[in-house]
Amino acid sequence: MSGVYARRIGVVAASAAFAATTGLLTAPTAQAAMPTPVSASTARTYLSELTVSAEGSSDGYSRDKFPHWITQSGACNTREVVLERDGTNVEQNSSCAAVSGSWYSEYDGATWTAASDLDIDHMVPLAEAWRSGASSWTTAQRQAYANDLTRPQLIAVTDNVNQAKGDKDPAKWMPSRTAYKCTYARAWVHVKHYYDLTVDSAEKSALQSILNGC
């Protein structure tokens, strides 16, 4: 997801909500990491239960059909909650923007000290979800998907790495950091299974290969 887009939406939403407030906020309750995905064995079972289908069309797709980032708590939107959750010693200003902290990007192993260097990645990208079944959802369902903090769907990562991923599935893109590939595959299958999204044959084959090695 575009770092510029995400940062712009976050700043506008937060600033509008708390423009007149000063001082540092107490961050929302954090769990210090993306929700843990299902185990490799469960992911293999889930993968076998997914419907295999040729990827659908992108016709009609727009990021605007997946409203994000929505307000989660006070002045804090989804992006800001994930930044606080995934970082270390994160301080937020009156608009809930992260003004200091440290972030480790699981995809490439890089560490950053400026929130502007991070994107919040949708594990299963919005366009991929659209082509896998979300095109038939309501806007409210797509909003819930795009802001899901309960499943392993959102994670703070290096912005240009996320942009290189784009809307590619695991047959076309995987994190360069080998140690994270099992977690990535488990999370991908967890999200697709929960939302009853389809997989294409190449995607399923790639996921099976990774999970069989976990």
Side-chain angles (χ1 to χ4, degrees):
M1 137 172 338
S2 166
V4 172
Y5 177 84
R7 286 193 286 273
R8 183 171 67 247
I9 296 300
V11 169
V12 170
S15 297
F18 265 62
T21 309
T22 57
L24 292 176
L25 292 178
T26 299
T29 300
Q31 50 191 45
M34 178 182 76
T36 302
V38 293
S39 68
S41 60
T42 299
R44 288 191 288 270
T45 299
Y46 280 6
L47 182 59
S48 71
E49 294 170 351
L50 294 178
T51 299
V52 179
S53 176
E55 197 163 84
S57 171
S58 293
D59 290 352
Y61 169 71
S62 167
R63 294 180 65 80
D64 293 341
K65 293 183 178 180
F66 291 80
H68 62 290
W69 304 111
I70 63 170
T71 299
Q72 293 287 348
S73 175
C76 302
N77 66 26
T78 309
R79 170 181 164 81
E80 290 146 352
V81 170
V82 175
L83 282 172
E84 198 281 333
R85 181 198 72 190
D86 289 1
T88 302
N89 298 322
V90 177
E91 285 195 340
Q92 296 166 306
N93 66 13
S94 59
S95 297
C96 203
V99 294
S100 65
S102 176
W103 292 267
Y104 178 78
S105 172
E106 294 283 4
Y107 288 2
D108 58 330
T111 298
W112 304 97
T113 56
S116 59
D117 289 319
L118 284 300
D119 275 1
I120 307 306
D121 179 40
H122 288 97
M123 178 63 63
V124 178
L126 305 182
E128 166 69 19
W130 178 270
R131 297 189 297 263
S132 304
S135 59
S136 66
W137 295 353
T138 65
T139 299
Q141 288 173 316
R142 289 192 288 263
Q143 174 175 294
Y145 177 85
N147 298 275
D148 188 353
L149 294 166
T150 304
R151 263 62 55 181
Q153 164 67 341
L154 299 172
I155 184 171
V157 296
T158 303
D159 54 6
N160 61 352
V161 171
N162 182 54
Q163 289 152 25
K165 170 183 172 178
D167 62 357
K168 301 179 184 73
D169 70 33
K172 301 171 184 174
W173 188 94
M174 284 292 294
S176 61
R177 186 169 160 259
T178 302
Y180 200 68
K181 290 182 178 180
C182 279
T183 302
Y184 188 88
R186 289 160 47 210
W188 184 283
V189 172
H190 186 155
V191 171
K192 280 221 159 176
H193 187 270
Y194 180 84
Y195 285 99
D196 196 25
L197 295 170
T198 62
V199 289
D200 63 46
S201 56
E203 175 188 356
K204 182 174 182 179
S205 178
L207 288 163
Q208 281 178 322
S209 178
I210 297 161
L211 291 171
N212 286 342
C214 294

